[in-house]
Amino acid sequence: MSKEDKDKIADEKLLDIANKWYQQMQNASIPYISLPTRTKHNIEYDEDSEVWKYGDKETLRVANSSKGAVHLLKMAYVVGFLKQQLKENRSSTLREMYYISEGWKKAKFSAQDESNHLVEDLEIITELSRESFHLRPEDDGATIYGPLKIREKTRRGDRDMHCQQDVGEGGYPIPNNVDNLEFIGHDAKFVIAMETGGMYARLMENGFDEDYDAVLVHLKGQPARSTRRVLKRLNQELNLPVVVFTDGDPWSYRIFASVAYGSIKAAHMSDTLATPGAQFIGVQPSDISNYNLPSDKLTEGDIAALKAELSDPRFDTEYWRSEINLQLKMGLKSEQQAFAARGLDFVTKEYLPARLSEMGIL
Amino acid sequence: MSKEDKDKIADEKLLDIANKWYQQMQNASIPYISLPTRTKHNIEYDEDSEVWKYGDKETLRVANSSKGAVHLLKMAYVVGFLKQQLKENRSSTLREMYYISEGWKKAKFSAQDESNHLVEDLEIITELSRESFHLRPEDDGATIYGPLKIREKTRRGDRDMHCQQDVGEGGYPIPNNVDNLEFIGHDAKFVIAMETGGMYARLMENGFDEDYDAVLVHLKGQPARSTRRVLKRLNQELNLPVVVFTDGDPWSYRIFASVAYGSIKAAHMSDTLATPGAQFIGVQPSDISNYNLPSDKLTEGDIAALKAELSDPRFDTEYWRSEINLQLKMGLKSEQQAFAARGLDFVTKEYLPARLSEMGIL
């Protein structure tokens, strides 16, 4: 779909909101919006799509109180601002929009949290992402390196970049709005997403991308939306398996889970952000003993997080139960860079090929 | 200088360390190393070069105790590891080297801090950066966008990239070892380094780089070494003025100070990392009142930091004293994105051109 068509749909969705209010008033109803209740208690793991979604509980925001009326007023201002922004082909950060509300009198936001929350409400109502309205996050996405050719539609025209031949060692940085990307060619067999920059650089230096036709993606810790969206699209559009390589501790398993099953915070975006087919490659608790990796003792926080994962539906599989119980028993955790203790080539020549074969990817 | 020549120098410097120990032993002395004392009390502001440097106090590490001997043993292992790494044209992260020390028996590091500190010692002794020994930091540098053409010598060959025509909206990501870069052409008049990604994207969207022949650099908060090194080289090699645009609070003034005068932590690298000619463009405390910017109250921590800056030699100028005192009097701080309250174009059409004229850059 062209950028113009996408903008047109976003514009129509915004107009729909205003139209509904207009109809409500014409029918002599007090204007309102209806949204799924956005608390932990209304988030469910959807077995069919294998991702987190909102449940059936609904919250109404009605202009029958001063609080409700001001809320709808704020939304009306945001709708107006975004509509104008689409018309002028501009974009802005969430932070800029917050400051712009300074000029909205009674509709001024009292804190950034409030405007962020309202934008998430808009995403739910319109079933579009904030990027569709040209709202940018503060943070960039991650970087990509590998046998993949990307066309990015920028404000200065199209840019075609091969993510090995046309980029430096920093790789190709994922822009905020991933929907401006097209994958125009590739020689890849799979995608490997890594938690740390050290491991990303290690695979690049060791030529793992060339030897195994792998697209390397640096997650930069808990991945940004744009990074998760790129992984989803690589999986869906190019049919590439996605594997996730993190440290071996409960916080890193959550990184994997947010890639594979979505996050509670963005449960309304799970369909576009989550890659249910993504597989965890390691560091597995069993690797710590099998490879005799340098390790640290689990902290009390780690133990509590592991126990919480045992009752998390995303980790409710035989594999995860057995690995997590093993880790609790050992009381140890290891980082992905700990493989360096066995030499700088061990991870790319031994560990990853063995795991990829086990997983049926090589 | 070619990469091969640089590696040769690094190799010789490492051999020098071992040679000194050998000579000490031949002269029947107990082996030792001598280093400037690396505490706050031995850091001085060097008026001539306008950067932070170590003072005259020296610390000796002598192998006349088990502690001293183990320290030199660790350094010997590191020297050997780095020499091998240069020979094989490999590189590693600080974290990987820490794990590699697992195999060094008595020379094994007990914590990452210890190995990092030893690498800084090596930098001081050899007067080379850790990157010269192919040691990588965990974190990437920042990104660049603007009328600048860069040649990066990568492991896969040279890559020539124009930082407007050959990159996407994410810009060109600065690699870890900036000494592999060459600036092969530019149409720039100055460099503007920004604290936040939001402002970097704003200037890019508004075409500020084209309208004013500006190279945009995103600092990503407190800038990484590689980012500071790039700013220094843009200033020194291309004679481009560097201006720094941050939020208007004491923590952001420190970002400016680390670009301009160096940091206490890396005082031994000030000559290569600091850009003494860098100028602060804003947000100035006087801008908050002059432009009636949305602001927040100073916290107690902010006030203490501002007061500390009043006794910091880096801020000992009439300009900074007057601005900091004004800010303490107003009790307010503003973010750079607060200019959005006056419209998305205000910062690029009004504020920055006015400041750049005042500063004699436009």
Side-chain angles (χ1 to χ4, degrees):
Chain A
M1 200 188 301
S2 76
K3 195 173 172 308
E4 289 66 32
D5 288 345
K6 281 182 203 153
D7 285 355
K8 198 161 164 257
I9 289 172
D11 185 81
E12 283 165 6
K13 292 268 195 175
L14 290 171
L15 210 60
D16 277 352
I17 297 173
N19 266 332
K20 268 191 192 147
W21 287 333
Y22 186 79
Q23 278 161 23
Q24 287 160 4
M25 287 189 276
Q26 274 206 321
N27 299 338
S29 312
I30 300 171
Y32 66 91
I33 50 168
S34 162
L35 281 164
T37 304
R38 297 181 54 208
T39 63
K40 268 192 192 168
H41 309 292
N42 193 37
I43 288 172
E44 290 164 10
Y45 181 71
D46 186 72
E47 298 279 349
D48 293 339
S49 58
E50 296 178 74
V51 297
W52 286 96
K53 292 195 169 172
Y54 286 113
D56 294 332
K57 286 184 203 131
E58 295 236 312
T59 303
L60 281 186
R61 296 277 201 173
V62 192
N64 60 1
S65 68
S66 125
K67 197 182 157 207
V70 168
H71 187 86
L72 293 197
L73 183 68
K74 286 177 184 179
M75 186 170 275
Y77 264 102
V78 169
V79 164
F81 167 72
L82 294 178
K83 211 172 167 302
Q84 188 68 20
Q85 174 159 283
L86 285 169
K87 192 176 157 194
E88 294 175 1
N89 193 23
R90 301 294 301 263
S91 61
S92 55
T93 63
L94 293 165
R95 192 89 189 131
E96 284 177 324
M97 194 183 78
Y98 163 72
Y99 281 120
I100 283 165
S101 84
E102 289 272 328
W104 296 351
K105 295 161 197 163
K106 274 200 198 307
K108 178 185 160 181
F109 291 112
S110 55
Q112 171 92 53
D113 276 357
E114 194 191 359
S115 56
N116 289 356
H117 200 274
L118 198 142
V119 167
E120 285 164 11
D121 283 353
L122 269 187
E123 290 186 312
I124 296 170
I125 297 172
T126 60
E127 296 180 316
L128 290 175
S129 67
R130 60 190 180 203
E131 287 81 5
S132 311
F133 304 115
H134 301 192
L135 279 175
R136 284 193 294 259
E138 238 343 88
D139 290 328
D140 299 341
T143 44
I144 299 182
Y145 196 88
L148 174 69
K149 194 163 183 180
I150 286 177
R151 174 168 297 159
E152 184 182 328
K153 293 173 190 170
T154 79
R155 308 186 152 264
R156 317 263 173 108
D158 287 2
R159 299 281 184 272
D160 289 0
M161 288 157 289
H162 187 283
C163 298
Q164 284 166 331
Q165 290 152 26
D166 302 324
V167 300
E169 294 193 345
Y172 167 74
I174 300 174
N176 289 313
N177 191 353
V178 177
D179 292 323
N180 292 337
L181 299 188
E182 245 181 276
F183 304 128
I184 55 177
H186 78 92
D187 298 300
K189 293 211 177 76
F190 66 99
V191 176
I192 178 165
M194 280 151 291
E195 178 175 357
T196 66
M199 190 50 74
Y200 173 71
R202 167 64 41 227
L203 268 60
M204 194 188 296
E205 173 173 326
N206 290 7
F208 187 83
D209 54 309
E210 290 187 322
D211 294 346
Y212 292 95
D213 304 322
V215 173
L216 317 179
V217 176
H218 177 198
L219 294 172
K220 298 197 176 172
Q222 193 66 42
R225 275 190 185 198
S226 52
T227 309
R228 286 186 281 151
R229 180 75 184 125
V230 159
L231 290 173
K232 168 79 173 185
R233 289 188 54 199
L234 287 168
N235 176 249
Q236 199 169 40
E237 294 173 28
L238 306 182
N239 267 314
L240 296 175
V242 171
V243 300
V244 179
F245 186 17
T246 69
D247 289 340
D249 64 51
W251 318 101
S252 297
Y253 309 151
R254 290 186 188 175
I255 291 177
F256 162 69
S258 85
V259 168
Y261 310 112
S263 65
I264 292 176
K265 198 174 144 28
H268 58 288
M269 303 293 293
S270 289
D271 282 331
T272 50
L273 297 181
T275 310
Q279 286 179 274
F280 184 71
I281 194 164
V283 178
Q284 312 175 101
S286 51
D287 297 331
I288 301 175
S289 49
N290 290 345
Y291 294 101
N292 194 19
L293 293 179
S295 58
D296 287 306
K297 283 197 181 134
L298 293 177
T299 64
E300 277 181 37
D302 293 335
I303 293 169
L306 284 169
K307 286 186 177 160
E309 282 166 5
L310 282 176
S311 65
D312 182 330
R314 297 179 296 177
F315 294 100
D316 189 17
T317 64
E318 203 181 318
Y319 169 79
W320 278 110
R321 270 192 304 272
S322 118
E323 289 289 342
I324 291 172
N325 281 318
L326 173 66
Q327 184 154 32
L328 284 166
K329 205 174 133 199
M330 295 191 298
L332 298 173
K333 59 183 175 181
S334 287
E335 294 182 0
Q336 53 181 181
Q337 292 193 65
F339 285 109
R342 310 202 46 172
L344 293 176
D345 288 331
F346 185 82
V347 71
T348 50
K349 298 264 188 264
E350 307 272 341
Y351 178 72
L352 291 176
R355 280 289 293 142
L356 288 163
S357 301
E358 261 174 49
M359 294 161 76
I361 287 169
L362 285 192
Chain B
M1 203 187 300
S2 76
K3 196 172 172 310
E4 288 68 31
D5 289 344
K6 280 181 204 153
D7 284 356
K8 200 162 162 258
I9 289 173
D11 185 79
E12 284 164 6
K13 292 266 197 180
L14 290 171
L15 211 58
D16 277 352
I17 297 174
N19 267 331
K20 268 191 194 151
W21 287 332
Y22 186 76
Q23 280 161 23
Q24 287 160 5
M25 287 189 275
Q26 274 206 320
N27 299 338
S29 312
I30 300 170
Y32 67 90
I33 50 167
S34 162
L35 279 165
T37 304
R38 297 181 54 207
T39 63
K40 266 193 193 168
H41 308 294
N42 193 35
I43 287 171
E44 290 164 9
Y45 182 69
D46 184 73
E47 297 280 349
D48 293 338
S49 58
E50 296 178 74
V51 298
W52 286 97
K53 293 195 169 174
Y54 285 114
D56 295 330
K57 286 184 203 131
E58 296 236 312
T59 303
L60 282 187
R61 296 278 201 172
V62 191
N64 60 1
S65 67
S66 125
K67 197 182 156 206
V70 168
H71 188 85
L72 292 198
L73 183 68
K74 286 178 184 178
M75 186 170 277
Y77 264 104
V78 170
V79 163
F81 168 71
L82 294 178
K83 213 172 164 305
Q84 188 67 20
Q85 175 158 284
L86 285 168
K87 192 175 156 194
E88 294 175 1
N89 194 22
R90 302 294 300 262
S91 62
S92 55
T93 62
L94 294 165
R95 193 92 189 129
E96 285 176 322
M97 193 184 78
Y98 163 72
Y99 281 120
I100 282 165
S101 84
E102 289 273 327
W104 297 350
K105 296 161 196 163
K106 273 200 198 306
K108 179 187 161 181
F109 291 113
S110 54
Q112 171 92 53
D113 276 356
E114 194 191 358
S115 55
N116 289 355
H117 200 273
L118 199 143
V119 167
E120 284 163 13
D121 283 352
L122 270 187
E123 290 186 314
I124 295 171
I125 296 173
T126 59
E127 296 181 314
L128 290 175
S129 67
R130 59 190 181 205
E131 287 82 5
S132 310
F133 304 116
H134 301 191
L135 278 175
R136 285 191 295 258
E138 239 342 90
D139 290 328
D140 298 342
T143 44
I144 299 183
Y145 197 87
L148 173 69
K149 194 163 183 181
I150 286 177
R151 173 168 299 158
E152 184 183 327
K153 292 172 192 174
T154 79
R155 311 187 148 263
R156 317 263 173 110
D158 288 2
R159 299 283 184 271
D160 289 359
M161 290 157 286
H162 188 283
C163 298
Q164 282 166 331
Q165 289 153 25
D166 302 324
V167 300
E169 293 192 346
Y172 167 75
I174 299 173
N176 289 313
N177 190 354
V178 176
D179 293 323
N180 291 337
L181 300 187
E182 246 181 275
F183 304 129
I184 56 177
H186 78 93
D187 298 301
K189 294 212 177 76
F190 66 99
V191 177
I192 179 165
M194 280 151 291
E195 178 175 356
T196 67
M199 189 51 73
Y200 173 72
R202 168 63 42 226
L203 266 61
M204 194 188 295
E205 174 173 326
N206 289 8
F208 187 82
D209 53 309
E210 291 187 322
D211 294 346
Y212 292 95
D213 304 319
V215 173
L216 317 180
V217 176
H218 177 199
L219 294 173
K220 299 198 175 171
Q222 192 68 39
R225 275 190 183 197
S226 53
T227 309
R228 286 186 281 151
R229 180 76 185 125
V230 159
L231 290 172
K232 167 80 173 185
R233 289 189 54 199
L234 287 169
N235 177 248
Q236 199 169 40
E237 294 171 28
L238 307 182
N239 267 314
L240 295 175
V242 170
V243 300
V244 180
F245 186 19
T246 69
D247 289 341
D249 64 52
W251 319 100
S252 297
Y253 308 151
R254 290 185 189 177
I255 291 177
F256 161 69
S258 84
V259 168
Y261 310 112
S263 64
I264 292 177
K265 199 173 142 32
H268 58 290
M269 303 292 295
S270 289
D271 282 331
T272 50
L273 297 180
T275 310
Q279 288 178 272
F280 184 71
I281 195 165
V283 176
Q284 313 174 101
S286 51
D287 296 332
I288 301 175
S289 49
N290 289 346
Y291 293 101
N292 194 20
L293 294 179
S295 57
D296 286 307
K297 282 197 183 132
L298 294 177
T299 64
E300 278 180 36
D302 294 334
I303 292 169
L306 285 170
K307 286 185 179 162
E309 283 166 4
L310 282 177
S311 66
D312 182 328
R314 297 179 296 178
F315 294 101
D316 189 17
T317 63
E318 204 181 316
Y319 168 78
W320 278 109
R321 272 192 303 273
S322 117
E323 288 289 342
I324 291 172
N325 280 318
L326 173 67
Q327 185 156 30
L328 284 166
K329 205 173 134 199
M330 293 191 300
L332 298 173
K333 59 183 175 181
S334 285
E335 293 181 1
Q336 52 181 182
Q337 293 193 64
F339 285 109
R342 309 201 48 172
L344 293 176
D345 288 330
F346 185 82
V347 70
T348 49
K349 298 264 189 265
E350 308 272 340
Y351 178 72
L352 290 177
R355 281 289 291 141
L356 288 164
S357 301
E358 260 173 49
M359 293 161 77
I361 287 168
L362 286 191

